[in-house]
Amino acid sequence: MKTVQIRVPATSANLGPGFDALGLALSLYDDVEATLTDEPGTRVVVSGEGAGEVPLGDGHLVIRAMRAAFDRMGVAQPDGIRLRCHNRIPHARGLGSSSAAICAGILAARALAEGEQLSDDEVFALATEMEGHPDNVAPCLAGGLTVAWSDHAGTPHMVKLVPDERIRPVVVVPSTRLATETARGLLPKDVPHKDASFNAGRAALLIAALTWQPEPGLLLAATEDRLHQHYRAPAMQDTANLVERLRAVGVPAVVSGAGPTVLAFSTSDTQDLIAPEVGNDWHIQQMDVDPVGANVQFPETR
């Protein structure tokens, strides 16, 4: 038997104006242990988030990603796979749970294959293909703050940046869920040119604010958005209201990914302003920015 352990971080995409481009890795993790065996079949054990809900066979997203990676490498599918998942990333909340599962599966397959069959770029490309866009898989794989895009051939690329350590991400997670497909379905096919221009400027400003000059006023202006959040508001009105309340008191707050989680950028000037606006129906968690992304280890054999 051969076993690998993978730790993958939660991520927050968009960050307000950086729709489908910006992403941030967070210090909240899923742990996956995958073992190849001679015993036929797939067995999956899940604890934590998603336990009792997700498939426990070949339909599990980590297993699907593993098998896609084996196929991409031209490696024969294993006789048996044993998978253990301890999940901490909430599902369908806008914190990259599906990207984490996809990245974990692809990296597990690469590690368990004889010899490295996929480059890091190929891992990123396959993960993007499975997820549908690169904004969450980029920070999940690389850590830090990432800018992701696809070229004319559809090949994804990323640049990793290091945000200022004085900025602390705070996630405010509701009990309700929202599927990414539902949220994306609310977006119009076309947007006004002035709104696109507005977001381009704010996204550029956000990079400067996160990496160079983390002043609350600058961050507040830099996290303004006109491309997606207000279109999605009817599907998560409580989230939209909370973002509005936080921003009204000077906290740079945005919808995390497709929502319904709220992401706030906390500094020493604003850290005490968040909790009074939240209420009891949300879970507040202050985090660090994960600096390294997905981690692969082989457990010691005894």
Side-chain angles (χ1 to χ4, degrees), residues 216-217 219-221 223-224 229 239-254 262-264 269-270 273-274 276-278:
L219 277 166
L220 191 64
T223 48
E224 290 181 300
Q229 292 185 158
T239 295
N241 292 341
L242 178 56
V243 168
E244 184 176 348
R245 291 199 305 273
L246 288 171
R247 296 185 66 84
V249 297
V251 177
V254 299
V262 173
L263 172 72
D269 296 316
T270 60
L273 301 176
I274 298 174
E277 301 299 329
V278 172

Side-chain angles (χ1 to χ4, degrees), residues 173-176 238 278-283:
V173 185
S175 59
T176 55
D238 289 344
V278 172
N280 297 324
D281 296 330
W282 304 75
H283 175 64

Side-chain angles (χ1 to χ4, degrees), residues 171-205:
V171 295
V172 189
V173 185
S175 59
T176 55
R177 300 181 178 187
L178 179 64
T180 300
E181 295 80 5
T182 300
R184 194 166 282 269
L186 295 172
L187 300 178
K189 293 182 179 180
D190 301 295
V191 296
H193 184 276
K194 63 179 181 180
D195 289 346
S197 175
F198 178 95
N199 268 53
R202 290 305 194 275
L205 181 62

Side-chain angles (χ1 to χ4, degrees), residues 44-56 60 83-87 91:
V44 180
V45 176
V46 176
S47 61
E49 297 287 340
E53 301 176 3
V54 298
L56 299 181
H60 192 281
L83 185 69
R84 288 185 174 272
C85 302
H86 181 58
N87 299 332
H91 290 192

Side-chain angles (χ1 to χ4, degrees), residues 53-113:
E53 301 176 3
V54 298
L56 299 181
D58 282 329
H60 192 281
L61 186 53
V62 173
I63 297 292
R64 287 160 49 199
M66 289 182 69
R67 295 199 180 281
F70 285 132
D71 286 342
R72 185 63 56 91
M73 291 185 288
V75 174
Q77 292 290 336
D79 292 329
I81 301 176
R82 303 294 176 264
L83 185 69
R84 288 185 174 272
C85 302
H86 181 58
N87 299 332
R88 301 176 186 87
I89 305 172
H91 290 192
R93 302 299 206 288
L95 289 170
S97 61
S98 63
S99 292
I102 289 168
C103 292
I106 295 171
L107 291 172
R110 180 174 77 168
L112 292 169

